[in-house]
Amino acid sequence: QLEVLAEVYDNQQTSHKVDISTTLRASDGRVAFSTNETRDSSDLGGKAGGYGYTAVVPLNGLTPGLYVLRVEAKSTLNGAAAVRETM
């Protein structure tokens, strides 16, 4: 398994949610794994701050090859997003 640990920083102080997704995509474009979760800005107590984020990506059954791991955080307030990808 592959374990993902990320910090998602949120500077918007208006009440909103942040959708966080992790996707593992094969070089042919096939999605091998995907997970989503939503965080609420109320968790930050009305202040700017960050959310700790973890995901576990199972590797059993994956065929050998190149894969891209993508983590995306998107605000429901204005659609602003932060994305990180790695191979």
Short mmCIF file of all heavy atoms in Angstrom, two decimals, residues 10 12-18 39-43 46 51 75-78:
data_model
loop_
_atom_site.label_atom_id
_atom_site.label_comp_id
_atom_site.label_asym_id
_atom_site.label_seq_id
_atom_site.Cartn_x
_atom_site.Cartn_y
_atom_site.Cartn_z
N ASP A 10 -5.91 26.60 4.13
CA ASP A 10 -7.13 27.30 3.76
C ASP A 10 -7.11 28.68 4.40
O ASP A 10 -7.14 28.81 5.61
CB ASP A 10 -8.33 26.49 4.27
CG ASP A 10 -9.66 27.01 3.78
OD1 ASP A 10 -9.69 28.10 3.19
OD2 ASP A 10 -10.66 26.32 4.00
N GLN A 12 -9.37 31.14 3.50
CA GLN A 12 -10.69 31.76 3.38
C GLN A 12 -11.40 31.66 4.73
O GLN A 12 -11.50 30.59 5.29
CB GLN A 12 -11.51 31.06 2.30
CG GLN A 12 -10.85 31.10 0.96
CD GLN A 12 -11.56 30.22 -0.05
OE1 GLN A 12 -12.61 29.67 0.23
NE2 GLN A 12 -10.99 30.10 -1.22
N GLN A 13 -11.89 32.78 5.22
CA GLN A 13 -12.51 32.77 6.54
C GLN A 13 -14.03 32.76 6.47
O GLN A 13 -14.69 32.70 7.49
CB GLN A 13 -11.99 33.93 7.37
CG GLN A 13 -10.50 33.76 7.64
CD GLN A 13 -9.92 34.87 8.47
OE1 GLN A 13 -10.59 35.84 8.79
NE2 GLN A 13 -8.67 34.74 8.82
N THR A 14 -14.61 32.78 5.27
CA THR A 14 -16.05 32.63 5.10
C THR A 14 -16.39 31.15 5.19
O THR A 14 -15.64 30.31 4.71
CB THR A 14 -16.47 33.19 3.71
OG1 THR A 14 -16.04 34.54 3.62
CG2 THR A 14 -17.96 33.10 3.51
N SER A 15 -17.53 30.82 5.77
CA SER A 15 -17.92 29.43 5.93
C SER A 15 -18.03 28.72 4.57
O SER A 15 -18.64 29.23 3.63
CB SER A 15 -19.27 29.37 6.65
OG SER A 15 -19.67 28.03 6.80
N HIS A 16 -17.40 27.55 4.47
CA HIS A 16 -17.40 26.78 3.22
C HIS A 16 -16.89 25.38 3.50
O HIS A 16 -16.55 25.03 4.63
CB HIS A 16 -16.52 27.46 2.16
CG HIS A 16 -15.07 27.49 2.55
ND1 HIS A 16 -14.58 28.38 3.48
CD2 HIS A 16 -14.04 26.74 2.15
CE1 HIS A 16 -13.29 28.16 3.64
NE2 HIS A 16 -12.93 27.17 2.83
N LYS A 17 -16.80 24.59 2.45
CA LYS A 17 -16.25 23.25 2.53
C LYS A 17 -15.08 23.13 1.55
O LYS A 17 -14.97 23.89 0.59
CB LYS A 17 -17.31 22.21 2.22
CG LYS A 17 -18.45 22.21 3.24
CD LYS A 17 -19.39 21.07 3.01
CE LYS A 17 -20.58 21.08 3.93
NZ LYS A 17 -20.35 21.33 5.32
N VAL A 18 -14.22 22.16 1.81
CA VAL A 18 -13.10 21.87 0.92
C VAL A 18 -13.19 20.40 0.54
O VAL A 18 -13.21 19.53 1.41
CB VAL A 18 -11.74 22.17 1.59
CG1 VAL A 18 -10.59 21.77 0.68
CG2 VAL A 18 -11.64 23.64 1.96
N ARG A 39 -14.02 18.44 3.87
CA ARG A 39 -13.74 19.06 5.16
C ARG A 39 -14.54 20.34 5.27
O ARG A 39 -14.81 21.00 4.26
CB ARG A 39 -12.26 19.39 5.31
CG ARG A 39 -11.34 18.18 5.24
CD ARG A 39 -11.53 17.29 6.48
NE ARG A 39 -10.70 16.13 6.42
CZ ARG A 39 -9.47 16.04 6.91
NH1 ARG A 39 -8.93 17.07 7.51
NH2 ARG A 39 -8.79 14.92 6.80
N ASP A 40 -14.92 20.71 6.47
CA ASP A 40 -15.72 21.91 6.72
C ASP A 40 -14.84 22.97 7.36
O ASP A 40 -14.08 22.68 8.29
CB ASP A 40 -16.88 21.56 7.64
CG ASP A 40 -17.94 22.63 7.67
OD1 ASP A 40 -17.60 23.79 7.96
OD2 ASP A 40 -19.11 22.31 7.41
N SER A 41 -14.97 24.21 6.89
CA SER A 41 -14.15 25.30 7.43
C SER A 41 -14.42 25.53 8.91
O SER A 41 -13.57 26.09 9.61
CB SER A 41 -14.37 26.58 6.64
OG SER A 41 -15.72 27.02 6.78
N SER A 42 -15.55 25.10 9.42
CA SER A 42 -15.83 25.26 10.84
C SER A 42 -14.84 24.47 11.70
O SER A 42 -14.65 24.78 12.87
CB SER A 42 -17.27 24.84 11.17
OG SER A 42 -17.44 23.45 10.95
N ASP A 43 -14.18 23.46 11.10
CA ASP A 43 -13.16 22.70 11.82
C ASP A 43 -11.97 23.59 12.21
O ASP A 43 -11.22 23.26 13.13
CB ASP A 43 -12.63 21.54 10.97
CG ASP A 43 -13.69 20.49 10.69
OD1 ASP A 43 -14.72 20.46 11.40
OD2 ASP A 43 -13.49 19.70 9.74
N GLY A 46 -13.19 29.25 12.39
CA GLY A 46 -13.36 30.57 11.80
C GLY A 46 -12.05 31.30 11.49
O GLY A 46 -12.05 32.47 11.17
N TYR A 51 -5.71 21.70 7.11
CA TYR A 51 -6.29 20.39 7.39
C TYR A 51 -5.22 19.34 7.16
O TYR A 51 -4.58 19.32 6.11
CB TYR A 51 -7.44 20.08 6.42
CG TYR A 51 -8.51 21.13 6.33
CD1 TYR A 51 -8.51 22.05 5.29
CD2 TYR A 51 -9.53 21.21 7.27
CE1 TYR A 51 -9.50 23.01 5.18
CE2 TYR A 51 -10.52 22.17 7.17
CZ TYR A 51 -10.49 23.07 6.12
OH TYR A 51 -11.46 24.02 6.03
N SER A 75 -12.02 24.36 -3.08
CA SER A 75 -12.96 25.09 -2.24
C SER A 75 -14.34 25.12 -2.89
O SER A 75 -14.46 25.38 -4.09
CB SER A 75 -12.47 26.53 -2.02
OG SER A 75 -13.48 27.29 -1.39
N THR A 76 -15.38 24.90 -2.09
CA THR A 76 -16.74 25.02 -2.60
C THR A 76 -17.19 26.47 -2.60
O THR A 76 -18.23 26.79 -3.17
CB THR A 76 -17.73 24.20 -1.76
OG1 THR A 76 -17.72 24.67 -0.41
CG2 THR A 76 -17.37 22.71 -1.79
N LEU A 77 -16.40 27.36 -2.01
CA LEU A 77 -16.77 28.77 -1.93
C LEU A 77 -16.57 29.47 -3.28
O LEU A 77 -17.46 30.15 -3.77
CB LEU A 77 -15.95 29.47 -0.85
CG LEU A 77 -16.26 30.94 -0.59
CD1 LEU A 77 -17.71 31.10 -0.12
CD2 LEU A 77 -15.30 31.50 0.45
N ASN A 78 -15.39 29.28 -3.87
CA ASN A 78 -15.10 29.98 -5.12
C ASN A 78 -14.46 29.09 -6.18
O ASN A 78 -14.04 29.57 -7.22
CB ASN A 78 -14.20 31.20 -4.85
CG ASN A 78 -12.87 30.80 -4.28
OD1 ASN A 78 -12.54 29.63 -4.18
ND2 ASN A 78 -12.09 31.78 -3.87
#
